[in-house]
Amino acid sequence: MVKNVKGERGRETDEQVAPYNFIRVNPNKKYPSPRAIRNCPNIGGKGLFTKEIDEALLDGRIDIAVHSMKDVPTYFPDNMILPCNLPREDVRDAFISVSAASLAELPVGSIVGSASLRRQSQILYRYPSLKQPNVFFKTVVIGLLRIGVSTLILSVITIASICTPMVTNVTSDMVSILMGIPGNMDLTFAVSNGTYEQVINFRGNVQTRLRKLSEGEVHATLLALAGQKRLNMTENVTAILSVEEMLPAIAQGAIGIACRNDDEKMITDSSKIVG
């Protein structure tokens, strides 16, 4: 009998695995708070999301681990194997928005939230309207707008447009764009490598991201369609992106079952989950 299984997201329930009659779910310890994780690639990358579970497996605290394969590093820890994978779900990404029907229909200045560098890069490449030029003047404008000094900004823009060639392209339309910036947006995201990138870091589980979207923190976000299907939340999907429009992550939609390589019983029992 399998004593414990721990899933990567920590959301599996006894009801979900009850049909197999040999699994008891071990409640998962939470990952580091999203507030503490500003840049995952700099503090562990993909392995950050599987390390704790892999350590629990190797220590014997759990017997099998359930991983979203797109979060699994290229090289597995020693003494671990993947004896089976569940049937793969849809590999595509889902576009979710309350204000536009597609990425192409997002107006200039819209803010898209995503924690994925893959998605951020492809969005900015395909939709340059979401990436605005930035100068120090605009940085000041952003800061002042955050404290609600809109009248002053209009005056400054008018004067600057006349006196400073550098900002002659700054118009009242740009003011409208800038005034759409959420008040709680971190300015470290507003100024990056000489550009004002309106695709911002956006973390949390699915429910948290959807809540942030509904509260207006961003205008749109992208999530794996597989996750929406598995959570029975496809009603939130605005549009499904083709693989030509948004290249999926390697192994997106695939769930893998890991165990210790010397645990013959778990290797055998794992096969029953899919078959």
Side-chain angles (χ1 to χ4, degrees):
M1 181 176 187
V2 176
K3 295 184 295 183
N4 294 307
V5 58
K6 183 180 285 188
E8 177 187 321
R9 302 302 184 187
R11 294 185 175 277
E12 293 78 5
T13 66
D14 289 318
E15 290 75 17
Q16 287 175 299
V17 296
Y20 304 111
N21 296 319
F22 62 89
I23 296 177
R24 178 167 64 84
V25 175
N26 183 16
N28 192 7
K29 187 169 74 173
K30 290 184 179 179
Y31 290 111
S33 166
R35 291 188 179 91
I37 303 176
R38 304 301 283 187
N39 195 346
C40 278
N42 290 341
I43 59 173
K46 297 178 72 171
L48 175 71
F49 297 101
T50 59
K51 183 178 179 180
E52 277 192 28
I53 295 172
D54 291 342
E55 288 177 348
L57 180 60
L58 293 172
D59 291 346
R61 287 175 280 147
I62 61 173
D63 300 299
I64 64 173
V66 182
H67 286 312
S68 173
M69 291 305 297
K70 72 182 180 67
D71 293 333
V72 174
T74 303
Y75 298 101
F76 235 38
D78 292 339
N79 304 319
M80 277 180 56
I81 60 171
L82 277 167
C84 71
N85 284 278
L86 302 183
R88 194 169 186 179
E89 250 294 357
D90 199 313
V91 303
R92 295 174 295 175
D93 281 316
F95 171 77
I96 303 174
S97 176
V98 295
S99 59
S102 67
L103 276 167
E105 294 184 22
L106 284 170
V108 174
S110 295
I111 298 171
V112 180
S114 175
S116 165
L117 291 176
R118 168 185 61 86
R119 291 175 180 137
Q120 291 176 11
S121 299
Q122 291 186 77
I123 291 170
L124 291 172
Y125 174 76
R126 290 183 175 276
Y127 302 98
S129 63
L130 295 173
K131 188 173 185 178
Q132 299 297 329
N134 181 47
V135 292
F136 176 75
F137 173 80
K138 274 191 187 177
T139 305
V140 175
V141 170
I142 294 169
L144 290 173
L145 282 172
R146 292 182 68 191
I147 59 174
V149 195
S150 56
T151 302
L152 174 61
I153 294 303
L154 285 171
S155 301
V156 171
I157 285 178
T158 301
I159 296 171
S161 296
I162 296 172
C163 302
T164 311
M166 179 177 64
V167 293
T168 53
N169 64 329
V170 180
T171 65
S172 58
D173 289 337
M174 185 59 70
V175 174
S176 298
I177 292 171
L178 293 175
M179 291 184 71
I181 297 170
N184 60 350
M185 178 178 172
D186 192 328
L187 280 179
T188 59
F189 297 133
V191 182
S192 173
N193 299 322
T195 61
Y196 169 66
E197 295 186 353
Q198 311 207 74
V199 179
I200 68 169
N201 217 349
F202 193 60
R203 298 197 176 279
N205 60 33
V206 171
Q207 292 84 350
T208 298
R209 296 187 200 195
L210 293 176
R211 174 181 56 78
K212 289 179 178 180
L213 175 65
S214 66
E215 291 174 352
E217 186 168 326
V218 297
H219 299 109
T221 189
L222 273 66
L223 294 171
L225 181 58
Q228 297 296 296
K229 287 186 173 182
R230 289 191 175 111
L231 292 170
N232 294 318
M233 297 177 67
T234 53
E235 70 276 5
N236 297 300
V237 175
T238 305
I240 298 173
L241 305 181
S242 68
V243 294
E244 290 77 21
E245 184 175 7
M246 181 61 59
L247 187 66
I250 295 174
Q252 184 156 305
I255 299 294
I257 309 297
C259 68
R260 293 178 292 276
N261 62 5
D262 60 352
D263 194 335
E264 296 296 332
K265 179 170 175 52
M266 292 303 100
I267 294 172
T268 301
D269 285 346
S270 294
S271 65
K272 299 177 184 178
I273 297 176
V274 292

